[in-house]
Amino acid sequence: QKKWQMGNAKDDEVVREMLRRCNLFHLKDRMLRELSGGEAQRALIARAMAQQTPIMLLDEPLSNLDVAHRYEIMDILAQLNKQGVMILMVIHEFPIALEYATHALLMKSGEICAHGDVNAVMTPENIRKCFDLGSEYAVSETGNVSKNRV
């Protein structure tokens, strides 16, 4: 397909498939501005998926999503990854990163704190150090951060 060329039947089918995968097909005739925050976020992810690129760069793809849709989107992205799509994303939800990612990079003020295998990087010690969490915060092995109760 040439630059600026209109889509064709194959493109339309890819878009429909991505809308189905993101559980949005029933909203296909709505404008993005008419969708809820979570629906719009899933629509943006479906749009990125429809590009069928070998690498996807996602910045906070789970924002505005409820718990069920977060895991639904992560499952979709995991499946794409198994099909050979490299997925690089910014994510602040440590438990989800530990569950889905294979590699991680912790950064603070533009500086790398730790990088490598997700299980080696996302340790309570690294999370505590990178985010300046004092003793008033508890960090679990699963990446959950909570404030200690007095």
Side-chain angles (χ1 to χ4, degrees):
Q1 181 165 306
K2 293 181 183 177
K3 192 174 186 177
W4 309 113
Q5 185 177 356
M6 296 301 291
N8 56 35
K10 182 182 177 209
D11 293 335
D12 290 343
E13 183 51 41
V14 168
V15 169
R16 283 192 295 275
E17 174 59 24
M18 297 312 158
L19 287 172
R20 280 187 204 95
R21 284 176 124 179
C22 292
N23 195 20
L24 291 167
F25 193 76
H26 64 288
L27 301 173
K28 66 180 174 35
D29 296 321
R30 290 209 192 153
M31 299 297 290
L32 192 62
R33 68 179 175 272
E34 296 171 350
L35 303 177
S36 71
E39 291 166 343
Q41 185 71 2
R42 291 185 354 239
L44 294 173
I45 291 168
R47 181 176 69 179
M49 290 167 48
Q51 299 298 314
Q52 297 184 308
T53 61
I55 300 173
M56 289 180 68
L57 304 173
L58 303 171
D59 185 10
E60 287 294 331
L62 307 179
S63 64
N64 296 316
L65 297 180
D66 61 32
V67 173
H69 285 115
R70 286 179 185 159
Y71 284 97
E72 180 181 49
I73 292 299
M74 289 306 297
D75 289 343
I76 291 165
L77 294 174
Q79 180 150 14
L80 284 174
N81 184 249
K82 287 178 185 171
Q83 295 169 351
V85 177
M86 179 186 292
I87 299 175
L88 303 170
M89 72 174 71
V90 174
I91 185 170
H92 292 102
E93 298 179 44
F94 305 143
I96 291 177
L98 275 162
E99 186 172 345
Y100 286 92
T102 57
H103 293 79
L105 175 83
L106 282 179
M107 295 185 74
K108 175 183 175 185
S109 303
E111 299 292 323
I112 296 172
C113 296
H115 65 90
D117 176 83
V118 70
N119 292 311
V121 170
M122 301 298 290
T123 64
E125 297 79 25
N126 284 345
I127 292 169
R128 184 178 300 288
K129 178 180 170 187
C130 187
F131 294 96
D132 294 324
L133 297 175
S135 60
E136 68 272 20
Y137 292 95
V139 182
S140 74
E141 292 295 323
T142 59
N144 286 310
V145 178
S146 61
K147 191 161 185 160
N148 291 323
R149 299 186 189 252
V150 180

